[in-house]
Amino acid sequence: MIYNGFDFSPWFDTRLITRSLMPGYDVETEDLPGRPGERFMRAKLKPLAITVRAKWRARPADDMAALRRTMVPRLMCLKEAPLVLDDERHLGLSYMAVLTSPGELDNLWHTGSADLEFTAYDPIAYGATKRGTVGYSTQLMVGGSYETKPVVTCKPGGSVSYLRLTDMGSGKYVQVTASLTSSTEVVFDMENEQATVNGENHAVTYDSDYFALQPGANSLRLSSGSGTIEYTERHVG
């Protein structure tokens, strides 16, 4: 197990992991007059609980009190941090998780173990970060099994009055309208739903719609110029 950048495998055997097959979700519905039952409106993913059995890799002669004091500061992280589980190391996947319950050490000897419960409030695992280029006609093959929201950094091809990035599959687009030149840097941040022009926050047009990339083939179009795109592949399950 790797948590917050620290590899615990030399000190703990953490191969016993318990988690749901997939994240749970809450379903929201509404009543409709004159219609039997209810109408589905939306579903929201629930946080994912992950329990890791941490068993000491220690010898009878080891100072367990000292080892415990060494490990505790590495486990204590009062924020979301990357969690890499032993059964997914080979896949290069991680969760952004918080240690929400450290459990109890069942004894203080070298065979002691504890159940560490992590909570991934974003229950979709993170995979490889990908980078590429965007232009008037851009084809991307996105890996993973869940949508991902990219950051696109671009510059117009000359003096223009707007810059638009379109997802050709869905028809959604984001657009900034301003006096732009070939040296103007425009950033479309889909995750945070924010656009900047030369580092300053800038409003997008009223009909803009921040979009996500879907697993598989994606087609993008930049109205002028070129730029770069960065995204992290996401994996469900």
Side-chain angles (χ1 to χ4, degrees):
M1 179 185 78
I2 302 173
Y3 182 54
N4 197 26
F6 185 80
D7 190 345
F8 288 88
S9 58
W11 290 271
F12 288 119
D13 182 342
T14 54
R15 289 174 293 178
L16 182 58
I17 302 161
T18 304
R19 62 182 179 277
S20 300
L21 176 65
M22 60 177 286
Y25 46 88
D26 288 318
V27 174
E28 184 178 338
T29 62
E30 68 174 355
D31 292 321
L32 290 180
R35 176 176 172 175
E38 299 175 325
R39 183 179 73 174
F40 171 84
M41 293 184 63
R42 63 183 64 86
K44 181 180 180 180
L45 293 174
K46 294 181 179 179
L48 180 67
I50 303 167
T51 301
V52 178
R53 171 64 61 86
K55 183 177 180 180
W56 283 109
R57 298 182 187 273
R59 299 163 298 180
D62 287 339
D63 186 339
M64 298 307 298
L67 281 175
R68 188 178 73 252
R69 294 293 181 182
T70 300
M71 291 299 104
V72 167
R74 290 169 168 79
L75 285 168
M76 183 180 291
C77 181
L78 305 181
K79 62 180 180 179
E80 290 183 310
L83 171 66
V84 180
L85 301 169
D86 288 347
D87 62 348
E88 294 183 335
R89 283 198 190 209
H90 65 294
L91 299 177
L93 302 183
S94 64
Y95 291 92
M96 291 300 294
V98 179
L99 178 60
T100 45
S101 177
E104 296 182 0
L105 191 64
D106 60 12
N107 62 61
L108 297 180
W109 304 106
H110 67 287
T111 57
S113 63
D115 288 345
L116 308 175
E117 184 171 302
F118 296 89
T119 302
Y121 294 95
D122 176 354
I124 309 301
Y126 290 78
T129 296
K130 301 291 186 177
R131 297 173 180 85
T133 59
V134 293
Y136 184 74
S137 180
T138 301
Q139 306 299 319
L140 294 174
M141 185 59 67
V142 177
S145 55
Y146 196 81
E147 67 180 28
T148 180
K149 297 182 179 181
V151 175
V152 179
T153 303
C154 45
K155 292 183 177 181
S159 296
V160 296
S161 60
Y162 72 93
L163 192 63
R164 175 185 291 187
L165 178 67
T166 305
D167 175 11
M168 301 303 290
S170 66
K172 295 180 179 179
Y173 65 84
V174 286
Q175 176 179 317
V176 294
T177 300
S179 297
L180 308 173
T181 69
S182 59
S183 62
T184 305
E185 182 179 83
V186 178
V187 177
F188 296 112
D189 185 340
M190 305 298 178
E191 178 68 33
N192 296 303
E193 297 191 352
Q194 180 179 333
T196 62
V197 175
N198 285 335
E200 299 290 333
N201 290 343
H202 196 286
V204 296
T205 58
Y206 178 77
D207 50 358
S208 291
D209 196 353
Y210 290 95
F211 58 83
L213 302 177
Q214 302 300 320
N218 290 258
S219 179
L220 303 180
R221 174 169 293 176
L222 191 62
S223 60
S224 175
S226 61
T228 60
I229 185 170
E230 181 174 316
Y231 60 91
T232 300
E233 294 175 346
R234 305 299 303 272
H235 300 257
V236 66

